[in-house]
Amino acid sequence: MSSYRKRNRCFCSHCCSDPCCCPAQGPRGFRGPIGPTGATGATGLPGILGAIGPTGPTGPTGPTGESLLTIYGDAGTVGGVTPVQGTEVLLTTLFVSSNIVLAANRLIIPTDGVYEVEYTTNAFMGPDSRIILALLLNGFVVDRSRTRALNQISPGINPPLIEIVMSRSILLNLVAGDQISIYVEELVGSVSLTEPNLKVIRIDD
């Protein structure tokens, strides 16, 4: 009871060193276990873009590709030609060529591929005349290669002679060794050809 009366006689309003109102502090206890990790916070804003790194060394050069236009040929005859039914049109000169040869009025194909084949000539035709030209492939007429020209003027009517341009261009799948030429499939009356020309160009494999 005496200690209770002594404590009540203290008038401290805060902790102090006076044992009448602030009992002595005991030793610090052991550290408790670490608590669970808190939730991940929101992602921050992206940082500033870094500088571009140096350019790496140049890689090795790849192999050279095949050029499709390295195979072509352009053959013809300068001047006039007299056509004969059932024969090939005379081609005397290979004007421009790459890997194509001209032999006996025919262009020889060196390798497989898709080719554009075109022929053209001017036909001078007398009265009541007609002519049909076509491409000849290895001795056989290519059906869709024909061109026709016709002069229905009767003799004695002026002008008795007319000029008609005959031309045809088609795509053909050809193989190495194929032979292409211009063929006179039909001929009636008086007809002459000027500057006949045959060309082939490889455009795809």
Side-chain angles (χ1 to χ4, degrees), residues 71-144:
I71 300 176
Y72 54 84
D74 183 3
T77 298
V78 177
V81 172
T82 300
V84 177
Q85 181 172 317
T87 66
E88 296 163 86
V89 174
L90 180 65
L91 302 175
T92 60
T93 305
L94 188 59
F95 300 115
V96 179
S97 173
S98 175
N99 300 310
I100 293 281
V101 297
L102 173 66
N105 304 315
R106 301 177 179 184
L107 291 178
I108 312 301
I109 302 302
T111 188
D112 300 0
V114 179
Y115 287 78
E116 180 182 7
V117 183
E118 178 182 7
Y119 67 88
T120 183
T121 187
N122 287 12
F124 289 87
M125 308 185 66
D128 289 332
S129 62
R130 67 177 181 271
I131 186 172
I132 298 176
L133 299 179
L135 287 173
L136 203 65
L137 174 60
N138 301 328
F140 296 93
V141 173
V142 179
D143 286 337
R144 56 193 177 92

Side-chain angles (χ1 to χ4, degrees), residues 5-203:
R5 287 194 298 269
K6 184 178 179 180
R7 187 174 183 85
N8 282 337
R9 287 197 297 268
C10 294
F11 300 98
C12 296
S13 60
H14 59 279
C15 291
C16 60
S17 61
D18 191 340
C20 73
C21 60
C22 296
Q25 185 175 1
R28 177 178 295 180
F30 295 104
R31 182 187 298 271
I34 299 174
T37 303
T40 304
T43 302
L45 296 175
I48 299 174
L49 183 64
I52 297 174
T55 302
T58 302
T61 302
T64 302
E66 180 184 3
S67 175
L68 291 176
L69 294 182
T70 56
I71 300 176
Y72 54 84
D74 183 3
T77 298
V78 177
V81 172
T82 300
V84 177
Q85 181 172 317
T87 66
E88 296 163 86
V89 174
L90 180 65
L91 302 175
T92 60
T93 305
L94 188 59
F95 300 115
V96 179
S97 173
S98 175
N99 300 310
I100 293 281
V101 297
L102 173 66
N105 304 315
R106 301 177 179 184
L107 291 178
I108 312 301
I109 302 302
T111 188
D112 300 0
V114 179
Y115 287 78
E116 180 182 7
V117 183
E118 178 182 7
Y119 67 88
T120 183
T121 187
N122 287 12
F124 289 87
M125 308 185 66
D128 289 332
S129 62
R130 67 177 181 271
I131 186 172
I132 298 176
L133 299 179
L135 287 173
L136 203 65
L137 174 60
N138 301 328
F140 296 93
V141 173
V142 179
D143 286 337
R144 56 193 177 92
S145 69
R146 293 179 174 88
T147 56
R148 298 169 173 82
L150 175 65
N151 181 5
Q152 294 180 309
I153 297 176
S154 300
I157 299 179
N158 289 320
L161 190 68
I162 64 172
E163 180 181 5
I164 297 177
V165 177
M166 303 182 70
S167 181
R168 184 70 167 164
S169 176
I170 64 173
L171 300 181
L172 293 174
N173 284 299
L174 302 177
V175 299
D178 278 349
Q179 301 182 20
I180 295 286
S181 59
I182 309 172
Y183 181 67
V184 184
E185 187 173 35
E186 182 178 324
L187 177 65
V188 175
S190 175
V191 180
S192 65
L193 304 178
T194 301
E195 308 284 335
N197 178 265
L198 175 64
K199 68 178 65 172
V200 296
I201 303 175
R202 183 171 182 257
I203 62 173

